[in-house]
Amino acid sequence: MDKITKLEKFLVSHHFYQIMKIGVLVALGLAMFTLAAYNRMEVREIVLVNILVVFTFLCLRYAKFGLYVVVILFPFWGLQFVSGEFNVPYVDLAAVCLFVAMALRTIYVWLHSYFKGHKTKTMEYLKKFPGWQFFIAVAIAGVLAIINNQYPLPAFKYWLRPILFFYLTYILLPVNIIQTKTELKRIMKLMVGTGLVAGVLGLLGVFFGEGFWFLGRAGGLSIFGVKPLGGNHN
């Protein structure tokens, strides 16, 4: 019970001291991980793990902040972490961190309900599952397609990313985090802002990208060797 109470203070308290107590523990854990992994992982991989853990910690306390970051990064699929044959967009990493944080919040609410007999109403957690019937139907259809596919591993990859991952992160998270019209308007303003930036980059890609203006294929504007919008603008 005492542990539940301490966690509640961290999740809902507005006192900086309560937040920093958990933050210090996270920092110590990351310091130990960094020392242990220094000779086993690349430096940039260690840095990425540290950033993701810190971001998850912030999302655990400030879920809306995590959603804002995901919204800002959403159009920029070309910004990816690449290590060998492995690559993943930073927006997906941010979405995974936010989902983990919300899952931990949900577990806390369940424990809170079990020990105290009622659910807390002072924080966001996963309580709404819009269109879950349709999601399950599509997911089952995807599983059947994988079973009957000549190449099951690539099929599983495309089932995992566009179906399962998309629903859990880009549908489930906004529905449960956005709770007021003011928050919705703020999100829409961010979407408009990032959309305008993406539009400008796309237009610049027509004139300064591959090919000759409108006669060539729009391949994306390269900035220091990186195409923020990806390489395919069809």
Side-chain angles (χ1 to χ4, degrees), residues 207-226:
F207 294 101
F208 302 103
E210 300 173 359
F212 179 72
W213 286 22
F214 295 95
L215 300 180
R217 177 180 178 180
L221 180 67
S222 178
I223 302 176
F224 300 110
V226 177

Side-chain angles (χ1 to χ4, degrees), residues 129-140 167:
F129 300 86
W132 63 269
Q133 306 95 326
F134 304 105
F135 165 69
I136 291 178
V138 173
I140 292 175
Y167 178 80

Side-chain angles (χ1 to χ4, degrees), residues 194-209:
T194 55
L196 288 174
V197 173
V200 170
L201 290 177
L203 182 61
L204 291 176
V206 173
F207 294 101
F208 302 103

Side-chain angles (χ1 to χ4, degrees), residues 1 3-9 11-12 104-123 125:
M1 178 72 72
K3 291 182 178 180
I4 297 294
T5 302
K6 289 182 178 179
L7 182 58
E8 182 177 8
K9 289 181 179 179
L11 291 174
V12 303
L104 292 174
R105 279 168 163 252
T106 304
I107 293 173
Y108 159 75
V109 171
W110 290 345
L111 292 175
H112 187 283
S113 176
Y114 177 79
F115 285 108
K116 293 191 174 183
H118 62 89
K119 294 182 179 180
T120 177
K121 297 181 180 180
T122 57
M123 57 182 291
Y125 64 96

Side-chain angles (χ1 to χ4, degrees), residues 35 61 67 79 97-98 125 142 146 176 178 181 186 216 228:
L35 291 175
R61 181 60 184 82
L67 184 60
L79 300 178
C97 291
L98 180 57
Y125 64 96
I146 293 172
N176 286 280
I178 301 173
K181 290 184 178 180
R186 190 176 295 123

Side-chain angles (χ1 to χ4, degrees), residues 9-29:
K9 289 181 179 179
F10 164 71
L11 291 174
V12 303
S13 174
H14 294 285
H15 296 291
F16 184 73
Y17 175 70
Q18 293 290 348
I19 300 172
M20 284 304 301
K21 285 196 298 185
I22 306 295
V24 169
L25 294 177
V26 172
L28 290 175

